[in-house]
């Protein structure tokens, strides 16, 4: 049967449905939320809360396990229908000029008990859904 399928021009998809994540990924989202994947969450020790740190000399921020009873810690929430986690950090982003005009993704590096994110090297800058939809509508109306 496989030969018959191949003879008719069909190709068998041999890829994977989900990409295996090998990096600690961190995203700074448009509302000032900081999201991170399960690998990052586990590297931080599956914390209830995080402390947020900034180093202006190297234009980087870090996430560090925090005490949920202290005012310097921010609660970690699991994102619904996802295996990623999030912390609200709008005030932090505003204080240190971390751009939140669009979502940017970074690879975090774990060092000295902190997940460090170099803001000068985003991995990707996805187009927002609103902007993408608007562009699609503009293209349809000009056709």
């Amino acid at each position: 049967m496989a030969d018959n399928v191949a003879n008719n021009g069909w190709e068998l998809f041999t890829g994977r449905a989900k990409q295996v994540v090998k990096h600690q990924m961190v995203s700074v989202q448009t509302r000032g939320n900081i999201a991170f994947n399960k690998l990052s969450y586990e590297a931080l020790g599956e914390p209830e809360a995080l402390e947020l740190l900034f180093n202006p000399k190297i234009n980087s921020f870090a996430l560090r396990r925090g005490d949920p009873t202290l005012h310097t810690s921010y609660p970690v929430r699991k994102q619904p229908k996802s295996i990623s986690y999030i912390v609200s950090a709008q005030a932090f982003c505003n204080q240190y000029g971390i751009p939140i005009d669009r979502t940017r993704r970074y690879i975090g590096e774990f060092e000295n008990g902190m997940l460090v994110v170099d803001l000068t090297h985003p991995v990707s800058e996805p187009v927002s859904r609103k902007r993408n939809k608007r562009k699609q509508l503009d293209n349809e109306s000009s056709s």
Side-chain angles (χ1 to χ4, degrees), residues 81-139:
K81 300 179 184 178
S82 178
I83 54 171
S84 57
Y85 299 82
I86 195 165
V87 63
S88 297
Q90 186 173 25
F92 174 75
C93 292
N94 289 340
Q95 172 71 30
Y96 293 107
I98 298 170
I100 57 173
D101 58 317
R102 62 179 169 250
T103 298
R104 291 175 175 83
R105 294 181 72 205
Y106 304 88
I107 295 175
E109 297 290 331
F110 200 76
E111 50 188 68
N112 300 321
M114 301 184 300
L115 184 60
V116 178
V117 176
D118 181 351
L119 293 168
T120 62
H121 293 97
V123 175
S124 65
E125 296 185 17
V127 176
S128 72
R129 288 185 186 131
K130 284 182 184 177
R131 185 172 154 206
N132 199 21
K133 184 71 173 171
R134 191 176 324 126
K135 189 175 183 179
Q136 181 182 3
L137 290 173
D138 288 345
N139 288 341

Side-chain angles (χ1 to χ4, degrees), residues 13-96:
F13 173 69
T14 58
R16 294 180 172 236
K18 291 188 177 183
Q19 185 178 18
V20 177
V21 178
K22 298 178 183 177
H23 301 289
Q24 296 159 341
M25 300 302 296
V26 180
S27 296
V28 179
Q29 300 175 337
T30 55
R31 293 190 177 161
N33 293 324
I34 297 174
F36 44 97
N37 64 0
K38 185 177 180 180
L39 196 58
S40 299
Y41 180 70
E42 290 171 347
L44 289 163
E46 301 182 3
E48 289 181 52
L50 291 173
E51 293 177 322
L52 308 174
L53 301 95
F54 187 77
N55 186 332
K57 292 179 184 176
I58 58 172
N59 197 26
S60 297
F61 73 87
L63 307 175
R64 178 173 68 186
R65 185 184 188 104
D67 181 341
T69 64
L70 298 178
H71 76 282
T72 55
S73 295
Y74 294 82
V76 174
R77 302 182 318 268
K78 184 179 179 306
Q79 293 198 68
K81 300 179 184 178
S82 178
I83 54 171
S84 57
Y85 299 82
I86 195 165
V87 63
S88 297
Q90 186 173 25
F92 174 75
C93 292
N94 289 340
Q95 172 71 30
Y96 293 107

